[in-house]
Amino acid sequence: MEENSLRTNKMRTMPVGKLLFTMALPLALSMLVQALYNVVDSIYVSRISPSAVTALSLAFPIQHLIIGFATGIGVGMNSLLSKSLGENNRLRVNYAAGNGIFLMLIATALFMLFGAVGARPFFEMQSEVAETVNGGTDYLTICCLFSIGIFVEVLGERMLQASGRTIYTLFTQGTGAVINILLDPVFIFGVPALGIPALGMAGAAIATVIAQWIAAILAVIFNLTKNPDVAFGLQYIKPDIRVLKKMLAVGIPSIVMMAIGSVMTFSMNSIFQSFQDYGETATGVFGVYFKLQSFVIMPVLGINNASVSIIAYNYGARLPNRISKNLKCALGAALVIMFAGVALFQLAPELLLSLFEPTEEFKAIGISALRIVSIGFPMAGVSIALTASFQALGVGIFATINSLCRQLVVLVPVAYLLSLTGDVHLVWWAFAVAELVSMLLTLIFFRRVYRQKVKTLVPDENL
């Protein structure tokens, strides 16, 4: 990697609006495809039984945690790698990538252990319905035992993002999504002519891990052949305390945020299960809501991911004006997407729910849920767009505090109190309250970070 190539890197030279668009578009598209196959997964599972939908909802906290660890490690590596590229520090770039791989292997081993011994107790703790417990156990066990696919995929994609090569992540995630969509009906319902039996929930998990592994292989190939900014070698995988500390300072808050999300989901499932007459249905609606809202949230997260790389690079290169312009563009784009999501959920909730073979009770609860929860979308857009600055500038603790308040300190207690009324429809208002608190905290933290980190940044012409 020559110095001249670093000084002409598009992260430094391309107009910020165009740069954010070209980097975020592939990420947003790939995440939309990811959201599509998550929804399709649920659509196929809903054809098995209502209990299968509930099992998928109950499995979500652990799946969310797996993605959380993968993303957290990736964010920590991404932030250090992008900053090191901006500083023209090739050695630290390579150690950032290698130590990311080291952390990935440790996390994978932990989830494989959980899949082997913890999946069934996890479901038995949440449900007494045998079909829900058995189907959920089969699904989660397979996803955990073969979770290295999602870890390699996410880490490989983050390496590509850090150097501005986000277009390749569209191919990795897109290919994985298409394969999952094609294989779901094959393994869930079987193809007798090909000797493939109907495997139900286990089949859904098999389709998922096959897709993840293929996407992971593509991510490895793209990094080896299309990413000259990063060199790989066993010497870089050896743990380096200084590198690990810098990565974990950013990555741990991100992991904690996702872990908080898992605890929140587990807690909300428990609150919905407490409604004796329609607990299973309400839990299923909660799971379906999460799938549907991903169509709105994922593109904004794509903008967030692109912003992290852009901000971190230009912070390392000491270019404060480009950081400010990126934040303005990211916030505007996030709000446009979120308001579109509000319109969709307000005007067509029944159409969205019709994809999942809903009963009348499911529709009644679901329509109310989608309309109420979507009120908080624009506020969430502000939080997601500005939180990128916390992750990129090494103050991920602010993002952690924000997430903790939104998902646990505010959401769960408010939801619990509203559940005491006995009206499940009121519980959904807790989401809007939590998003309002989150947005206010984000604005307070952002004002401090911007003043301390960006406004005081002096350009260095030598970089």
Side-chain angles (χ1 to χ4, degrees):
M1 180 174 57
E2 299 295 331
E3 181 179 349
N4 184 59
S5 69
L6 285 172
R7 295 189 62 85
T8 59
N9 189 301
K10 69 178 182 179
M11 303 277 273
R12 176 192 292 265
T13 60
M14 184 180 289
V16 173
K18 182 179 179 181
L19 175 63
L20 180 64
F21 179 79
T22 56
M23 288 187 63
L25 182 61
L27 291 172
L29 289 175
S30 64
M31 287 185 168
L32 273 174
V33 175
Q34 189 91 358
L36 175 62
Y37 93 68
N38 284 335
V39 170
V40 171
D41 209 32
S42 297
I43 291 173
Y44 282 127
V45 166
S46 70
R47 268 58 175 178
I48 300 174
S49 69
S51 291
V53 176
T54 301
L56 211 57
S57 299
L58 296 178
F60 183 78
I62 301 301
Q63 286 185 291
H64 191 67
L65 197 58
I66 293 173
I67 295 173
F69 269 80
T71 302
I73 293 169
V75 165
M77 180 205 66
N78 188 337
S79 179
L80 180 59
L81 204 157
S82 291
K83 185 171 181 290
S84 300
L85 283 172
E87 295 170 339
N88 193 16
N89 189 335
R90 177 168 186 169
L91 187 61
R92 193 162 62 183
V93 167
N94 298 337
Y95 270 107
N99 279 244
I101 295 171
F102 171 76
L103 291 175
M104 176 201 72
L105 295 174
I106 294 176
T108 301
L110 292 175
F111 281 105
M112 290 177 68
L113 179 62
F114 177 84
V117 301
R120 180 166 291 277
F122 177 77
F123 276 94
E124 290 176 339
M125 182 171 54
Q126 299 183 83
S127 178
E128 296 179 353
V129 179
E131 184 180 357
T132 300
V133 172
N134 292 333
T137 299
D138 290 343
Y139 181 86
L140 195 56
T141 298
I142 294 170
C143 287
C144 288
L145 288 178
F146 297 94
S147 59
I148 192 170
I150 187 65
F151 275 100
V152 173
E153 177 189 351
V154 171
L155 199 69
E157 288 168 352
R158 289 288 179 167
M159 290 179 189
L160 293 166
Q161 292 167 21
S163 59
R165 296 174 174 86
T166 56
I167 186 64
Y168 297 110
T169 64
L170 177 60
F171 291 102
T172 56
Q173 290 195 8
T175 301
V178 170
I179 289 173
N180 189 70
I181 291 171
L182 294 175
L183 292 184
D184 257 337
V186 173
F187 289 109
I188 292 174
F189 306 113
V191 182
L194 298 177
I196 301 175
L199 298 174
M201 291 292 288
I206 291 171
T208 296
V209 298
I210 289 175
Q212 290 171 348
W213 278 56
I214 292 175
I217 292 170
L218 285 176
V220 171
I221 292 172
F222 285 139
N223 271 288
L224 292 176
T225 61
K226 304 295 183 180
N227 193 0
D229 290 335
V230 182
F232 300 94
L234 291 177
Q235 69 272 29
Y236 302 126
I237 298 176
K238 182 180 178 181
D240 184 305
I241 298 300
R242 291 171 301 177
V243 172
L244 288 174
K245 284 177 65 176
K246 290 179 181 294
M247 289 173 55
L248 292 175
V250 177
I252 287 178
S254 182
I255 292 172
V256 171
M257 281 194 292
M258 298 292 277
I260 289 170
S262 294
V263 174
M264 178 276 291
T265 306
F266 180 85
S267 301
M268 292 301 295
N269 282 337
S270 299
I271 290 172
F272 286 121
Q273 289 279 67
S274 69
F275 289 90
Q276 292 185 352
D277 295 333
Y278 38 78
E280 288 273 309
T281 301
T283 303
V285 168
F286 180 55
V288 165
Y289 151 70
F290 254 103
K291 303 289 186 180
L292 291 173
Q293 62 96 34
S294 63
F295 277 113
V296 183
I297 297 295
M298 287 297 189
V300 181
L301 289 177
I303 294 171
N304 172 280
N305 290 341
S307 290
V308 169
S309 297
I310 294 170
I311 294 171
Y313 183 100
N314 286 284
Y315 184 68
R318 306 186 70 83
L319 297 171
N321 288 338
R322 290 179 65 79
I323 296 174
S324 300
K325 289 178 182 178
N326 175 82
L327 287 167
K328 291 177 182 178
C329 292
L331 180 59
L335 287 174
V336 169
I337 293 170
M338 285 302 197
F339 276 111
V342 173
L344 177 64
F345 276 54
Q346 293 293 329
L347 299 176
E350 189 169 359
L351 177 63
L352 295 173
L353 292 170
S354 67
L355 299 170
F356 303 93
E357 299 286 327
T359 62
E360 288 303 313
E361 183 180 67
F362 193 101
K363 281 197 294 185
I365 296 174
I367 290 172
S368 174
L370 296 188
R371 284 180 170 157
I372 293 172
V373 175
S374 64
I375 293 172
F377 283 176
M379 293 181 281
V382 173
S383 298
I384 295 171
L386 297 183
T387 296
S389 64
F390 307 158
Q391 298 168 313
L393 301 178
V395 285
I397 186 64
F398 288 155
T400 304
I401 294 171
N402 191 348
S403 184
L404 180 65
C405 290
R406 179 171 66 90
Q407 299 190 74
L408 289 183
V409 177
V410 177
L411 176 60
V412 173
V414 172
Y416 174 73
L417 291 174
L418 291 175
S419 73
L420 298 180
T421 65
D423 185 352
V424 72
H425 300 286
L426 291 178
V427 176
W428 303 107
W429 282 102
F431 287 89
V433 173
E435 293 297 357
L436 175 60
V437 173
S438 174
M439 182 183 70
L440 294 176
L441 277 176
T442 298
L443 292 173
I444 293 171
F445 290 148
F446 175 75
R447 185 169 180 265
R448 178 177 177 179
V449 170
Y450 188 81
R451 284 184 170 184
Q452 292 182 349
K453 295 277 190 176
V454 181
K455 290 195 73 173
T456 59
L457 194 63
V458 179
D460 187 345
E461 297 300 329
N462 294 320
L463 289 175

